[in-house]
């Protein structure tokens, strides 16, 4: 049954993307049109989840202002996390994601044009991506980042430790950090081979922002720990239910 359900989901995921891609391609050709490409990405997710029979349940402890820039930090246990963030957040944002995504046909082109890629094994790439992220925030566009640095944990919902980048950029630009807990994506699409999807509700929590106004780089560790504790607390609480 899981194999059949996986085939069903992949069919709709690819079909919707292929239907929308020509319009995305056009919108990616000019900087002024890129918000429309982002909107089409959100539409892709909004169409896919109902067709896959996945109910979306989001608890908004905080409603982000679409006109304000934030650094959204979420746990990362599943490749489904990328699609989900576009559905639950109305803000115009850029992902900071691994450079290998660019090798995926069509999707890689879109990701490279719309988001920020980083090779975490290369120090120059890390510095360059941080610089691009800071410029993005300065323009009023939000950043979405997975501060674990990828899918690192082997025991979800137990998180891997966070890296500093997200918190350095938030403090430097004095923008709020908004923790986001993705509760069930690892149950829907585990990081396993072969790929198999299971039908669970997609549950998430958008938490209250962590204010950075007045903080300096000496506060990076405290801010990082506070963000980790918020997300880890939500994951632990849900796991006990």
């Amino acid at each position: 049954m899981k194999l059949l359900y996986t085939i069903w989901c992949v069919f709709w995921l690819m079909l919707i993307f292929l239907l929308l891609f020509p319009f995305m391609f056009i919108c990616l050709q000019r900087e002024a049109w890129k918000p429309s490409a982002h909107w089409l990405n959100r539409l892709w997710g909004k169409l896919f989840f109902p067709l896959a029979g996945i109910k979306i349940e989001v608890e908004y402890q905080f409603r982000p202002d679409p006109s304000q820039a934030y650094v959204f930090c979420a746990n990362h246990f599943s490749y489904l996390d990328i699609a989900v963030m576009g559905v639950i957040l109305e803000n115009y944002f850029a992902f900071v994601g691994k450079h290998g995504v660019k090798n995926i046909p069509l999707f890689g082109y879109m990701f490279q044009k719309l988001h920020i890629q980083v090779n975490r094994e290369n120090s120059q790439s890390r510095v360059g991506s941080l610089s691009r992220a800071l410029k993005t925030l300065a323009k009023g566009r939000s950043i979405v980042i997975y501060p674990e640095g990828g899918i690192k944990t082997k025991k979800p919902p137990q998180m891997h430790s966070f890296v500093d980048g997200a918190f350095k950029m938030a403090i430097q630009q004095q923008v709020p950090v908004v923790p986001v807990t993705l509760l069930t994506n690892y149950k829907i699409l585990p990081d396993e081979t072969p790929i198999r999807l299971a039908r669970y509700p997609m549950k998430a929590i958008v938490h209250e922002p962590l204010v950075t106004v007045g903080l300096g780089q000496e506060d990076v560790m405290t801010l990082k720990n506070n963000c980790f504790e918020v997300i880890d607390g939500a994951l632990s609480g849900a796991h006990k239910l």
Side-chain angles (χ1 to χ4, degrees):
M1 287 302 293
K2 278 192 175 183
L3 176 60
L4 290 175
Y5 182 65
T6 300
I7 293 170
W8 171 263
C9 291
V10 170
F11 169 78
W12 283 112
L13 188 74
M14 294 181 65
L15 178 63
I16 298 166
F17 180 75
L18 291 173
L19 290 173
L20 292 177
F21 183 78
F23 304 100
M24 291 184 195
F25 181 84
I26 294 170
C27 294
L28 291 169
Q29 302 314 304
R30 292 189 180 182
E31 197 66 33
W33 298 348
K34 286 186 177 180
S36 296
H38 179 86
W39 182 86
L40 288 167
N41 265 263
R42 294 192 69 224
L43 179 62
W44 177 26
K46 284 180 174 290
L47 292 173
F48 166 71
F49 284 102
L51 287 168
I54 298 173
K55 185 179 180 181
I56 295 176
E57 300 177 4
V58 185
E59 178 185 345
Y60 289 97
Q61 297 178 358
F62 168 70
R63 285 276 183 179
D65 182 349
S67 65
Q68 183 176 341
Y70 305 90
V71 174
F72 294 99
C73 293
N75 58 294
H76 194 21
F77 301 153
S78 167
Y79 287 108
L80 194 65
D81 299 341
I82 296 173
V84 163
M85 295 299 280
V87 173
I88 67 177
L89 298 176
E90 296 182 6
N91 300 67
Y92 177 43
F93 62 77
F95 280 111
V96 177
K98 64 180 182 180
H99 73 296
V101 174
K102 67 183 179 182
N103 298 322
I104 302 173
L106 301 184
F107 180 83
Y109 175 84
M110 177 275 295
F111 197 92
Q112 189 174 21
K113 285 283 190 177
L114 198 58
H115 303 293
I116 299 167
Q117 295 181 309
V118 57
N119 179 356
R120 293 186 174 91
E121 306 303 318
N122 184 299
S123 59
Q124 288 185 329
S125 177
R126 293 198 302 270
V127 170
S129 66
L130 179 59
S131 176
R132 291 192 295 275
L134 288 170
K135 290 177 181 177
T136 298
L137 287 169
K139 292 177 182 177
R141 184 181 178 189
S142 295
I143 291 290
V144 169
I145 191 166
Y146 300 106
E148 291 166 275
I151 302 177
K152 301 286 188 179
T153 183
K154 301 301 180 184
K155 298 179 180 179
Q158 179 181 323
M159 286 191 293
H160 193 270
S161 58
F162 286 179
V163 295
D164 293 349
F167 310 99
K168 288 181 176 179
M169 70 175 75
I171 288 175
Q172 188 163 333
Q173 288 297 317
Q174 297 284 277
V175 300
V177 171
V178 179
V180 178
T181 304
L182 304 175
L183 293 164
T184 57
N185 287 352
Y186 73 97
K187 295 182 179 180
I188 301 169
L189 179 58
D191 182 33
E192 298 174 353
T193 303
I195 294 173
R196 292 290 184 270
L197 283 95
R199 192 178 174 189
Y200 283 93
M202 194 296 296
K203 297 183 179 183
I205 303 172
V206 179
H207 298 277
E208 293 286 345
L210 304 174
V211 177
T212 61
V213 174
L215 299 185
Q217 291 302 311
E218 67 276 8
D219 299 305
V220 166
M221 184 65 70
T222 299
L223 181 63
K224 179 176 68 173
N225 290 341
N226 288 345
C227 185
F228 185 96
E229 288 172 6
V230 169
I231 298 174
D232 189 54
L235 288 169
S236 298
H239 187 60
K240 292 175 182 177
L241 296 178

